[in-house]
Amino acid sequence: MLRGIRKASSNWLGKTVMTVVMGVLIVSFGVWGIGDIFRGFGQSTVATVGRTEISLNEFRQLYTDRLQQIGRQFGRPLTMDQARAFGLDRQVLQQTIAEAALDEETRRLGLGQSDEDIRRAILNDPNFKGLGGTFDAQRFQAVIRQFGYTEQRYVAEQRRVLLRRQLVSSLSAGLEPPKSMIEVFTRFQNEQRSIEYMKLGPAQAGTIDPPSPETLATYFEDHKAQFRAPEYRKIAFAVITPEELGKWAEVSDEDAKKLFEQTKDKLGTPEKRQVQQMVFPNVEEAQAARNRVTSGSSFDDLVKERGLKSADVDLGLVPKSAILDPAVADAAFSLASGEVSQPVQGRFGVALVRVDKIEPGAEANYTNLAPELKKQIATERARNQVATLRDKMEDERGGGASVVEAAQKLGLTPVTIDAVDRSGRLPNGQTASNIPPGLDVVSQAFSSDVGVDNDSISFRGGYVWYEVLGITPSRERNIDEVRDQVETRWRDDQIASRLRAKATEIVQKIEQGGKLPDEAGGIGVKVEAATGFKRDGAPAGVPSSTVAAAFRTAKDGVGQSSADGNEWIIFRVTDVIDPPVDFASDAIKRLKEQLDRSLTDEQIAEYVAKLEKDIGTTINQAAFAQATGANQ
């Protein structure tokens, strides 16, 4: 139970919400610019920001949860060593320091947030909505309890999040990317190139005789590390998540049909209509315009007379829910095709509404949806069981039971893997299929040891317990164990070496006046072409390495690239197109939005860095290394 209490002290949920609000900071703070001051620290403090102390336990939990999030996003675990290599340890620390600095500044400025704003933010949070799409108080309590929150603590955390948002949102006002910046970025993105190319494959490498035993033995000795048997670990784990528990729950048709009736409008395909809306300053002008339509004028004529474009009045082919003005929506979905409404008093003025095309909707079918509806209900009900089972599991573990024993006693199904390496592969080279996607239990196991009582892992709204049952150390294999692999690797290296030499020879001939088609014909390969591709393009048959090489080569220049060891490509750039910049295009508008966000990121980064300097920020490097595993 003590381990469960310790886990419940985590404040990951609030930090996760803040990651959405302040996620730009994780990217922006790539430069480490805070001086290290070693005075006035206790071993339990990682950093101080003004009057705020970031404790060792708090940061360790934040850091571990962040690595688990990334592992789930990429579908593979991330080890502590990998995280440090990517700089994630310092990014997470910088984000935590930035949040503390913003909290200090909001207090200094006396910023406040009304209780109604906090209430509205929580009610609108999709994490707390039930099956009917509305706020579910029981779900709210269950979710925050899973992450160690009382309602009062969670509300206080959300107040800090909204105050930070209020502070940083004022920084981006008036930011505008210069026209020259937009033009440079646009030309870089939209530049196009065309090439003619030829491919060299294993056939062009010539005949490769089998290696002699001596040659193979020498190659094996030179590359022995590549054939080394990895370390394997025997692990066991048990999963408690709402989805897992929901598999064993029974849901009646009555309950499923009740949910179906509540949500069938969202489950089916709604009716859509092609709607046009013309807004007038008053009822009189709108009525006069409609009288002209009934007298023979067309709606399109009125649009032109008023100096409007079709895009100004066309709402598109939309369902009723997509029309923001309820009065206009009601009018549009009461008309027959081709009809024009009476003047409608809407939110933005008096409107005439016309409907052109009507696309009928399709009602949801309960029979087809019943399995999924029952699964949703079962998963939702199981959320409330997670916390209870977690406490029981911790009690069993605290009493000395192994993960397998505790899981079996509670009616769960533990998983045991006899041997798995760091990459999650079995001795036969196959990926361990009984590990749920996104669960980083393997990397966690390789950071542990036999007999260690590990903390549980947060996973999909639940928990995973794991233990290491045995370790098979890495070892060198002898050549007889991997002879086929060694010979295959030797042959691939021979092919790659010959193709590289041949490609270099052909490029030199072309640069000295030869023609690519002539060189291709001489070795029996065809010439292909790829036209009008961009830097991020993927023309058929052309690997990304060749695309990148083509954009490093001038027009009429020749180059070469390797798709892999068994294929080499020789190309000539036949055309370079630098298209004009259309500042009114949708693409330029999207680019401008991206640059706006980038400038905002930089502005926030500079602002927070100044805050940290003015408020006073100190870091305990020893505690930081301990929290991130750097001193292990």
Side-chain angles (χ1 to χ4, degrees), residues 260-305:
F260 175 76
E261 291 299 325
Q262 293 173 348
T263 59
K264 66 180 181 181
D265 291 341
K266 298 178 182 179
L267 297 173
T269 302
E271 176 186 328
K272 293 182 179 181
R273 296 188 170 206
Q274 189 77 36
V275 180
Q276 293 178 307
Q277 170 190 263
M278 193 184 309
V279 180
F280 296 83
N282 52 58
V283 175
E284 290 74 19
E285 289 190 32
Q287 187 62 58
R290 186 177 188 280
N291 291 340
R292 290 186 57 193
V293 172
T294 57
S295 299
S297 296
S298 71
F299 195 86
D300 292 335
D301 290 339
L302 294 179
V303 172
K304 294 178 182 178
E305 288 177 8

Side-chain angles (χ1 to χ4, degrees), residues 186-341:
T186 301
R187 293 188 183 281
F188 181 83
Q189 289 181 349
N190 295 331
E191 180 185 348
Q192 299 176 18
R193 301 213 168 189
S194 299
I195 62 172
E196 60 175 2
Y197 64 94
M198 57 190 285
K199 292 182 179 180
L200 305 182
Q204 283 70 52
T207 301
I208 299 176
D209 296 326
S212 67
E214 294 76 19
T215 299
L216 201 62
T218 300
Y219 182 85
F220 175 72
E221 288 299 323
D222 292 341
H223 301 81
K224 186 176 289 187
Q226 299 177 13
F227 304 101
R228 185 180 179 88
E231 177 184 322
Y232 289 102
R233 297 203 170 194
K234 181 177 181 179
I235 65 174
F237 63 91
V239 179
I240 295 179
T241 64
E243 183 179 359
E244 187 70 20
L245 296 177
K247 292 179 181 178
W248 315 109
E250 293 186 2
V251 177
S252 66
D253 279 321
E254 180 182 356
D255 290 340
K257 287 179 180 178
K258 183 178 179 181
L259 175 61
F260 175 76
E261 291 299 325
Q262 293 173 348
T263 59
K264 66 180 181 181
D265 291 341
K266 298 178 182 179
L267 297 173
T269 302
E271 176 186 328
K272 293 182 179 181
R273 296 188 170 206
Q274 189 77 36
V275 180
Q276 293 178 307
Q277 170 190 263
M278 193 184 309
V279 180
F280 296 83
N282 52 58
V283 175
E284 290 74 19
E285 289 190 32
Q287 187 62 58
R290 186 177 188 280
N291 291 340
R292 290 186 57 193
V293 172
T294 57
S295 299
S297 296
S298 71
F299 195 86
D300 292 335
D301 290 339
L302 294 179
V303 172
K304 294 178 182 178
E305 288 177 8
R306 302 191 69 203
L308 301 174
K309 300 178 181 178
S310 59
D312 296 329
V313 299
D314 191 7
L315 301 183
L317 184 65
V318 294
K320 188 174 182 180
S321 61
I323 301 177
L324 298 179
D325 194 321
V328 172
D330 290 340
F333 277 77
S334 64
L335 297 171
S337 178
E339 284 189 348
V340 177
S341 71

Side-chain angles (χ1 to χ4, degrees), residues 230-238 397 402-404 408 414-422 424-427 432 434-435 441-452 454 465-474:
E231 177 184 322
Y232 289 102
R233 297 203 170 194
K234 181 177 181 179
I235 65 174
F237 63 91
R397 297 282 287 130
S402 67
V403 169
V404 172
Q408 290 174 340
V415 175
T416 300
I417 303 176
D418 290 330
V420 62
D421 67 14
R422 290 179 182 273
R425 296 186 180 277
L426 306 176
N434 48 359
I435 299 178
V441 68
V442 172
S443 68
Q444 297 287 340
F446 272 84
S447 298
S448 183
D449 208 338
V450 176
V452 173
N454 304 294
W465 289 264
Y466 68 96
E467 60 185 346
V468 180
L469 303 179
I471 298 176
T472 303
S474 174

Side-chain angles (χ1 to χ4, degrees), residues 506-518:
I506 293 174
V507 167
Q508 291 174 348
K509 288 182 179 179
I510 297 174
E511 289 176 340
Q512 293 170 5
K515 302 296 183 183
L516 190 143
D518 294 340

Side-chain angles (χ1 to χ4, degrees), residues 196-206 499 502-503 506 510 515-529 566-571:
E196 60 175 2
Y197 64 94
M198 57 190 285
K199 292 182 179 180
L200 305 182
Q204 283 70 52
L499 291 181
K502 196 169 193 65
I506 293 174
I510 297 174
K515 302 296 183 183
L516 190 143
D518 294 340
E519 296 298 328
I523 59 174
V525 298
K526 65 179 180 179
V527 175
E528 301 178 73
N566 289 327
E567 183 177 78
W568 212 269
I569 293 180
I570 302 163
F571 65 88

Side-chain angles (χ1 to χ4, degrees), residues 352-372:
L352 292 183
V353 180
R354 184 177 76 166
V355 171
D356 285 341
K357 178 182 177 183
I358 297 178
E359 191 175 277
E363 291 188 2
N365 182 279
Y366 171 75
T367 302
N368 295 336
L369 296 173
E372 183 60 31

Side-chain angles (χ1 to χ4, degrees), residues 112-123 155 159 162:
Q113 199 77 38
S114 70
D115 292 340
E116 180 57 30
D117 287 339
I118 306 297
R119 177 178 178 275
R120 188 181 303 112
I122 293 175
L123 291 177
V155 170
R159 188 180 301 278
L162 293 178

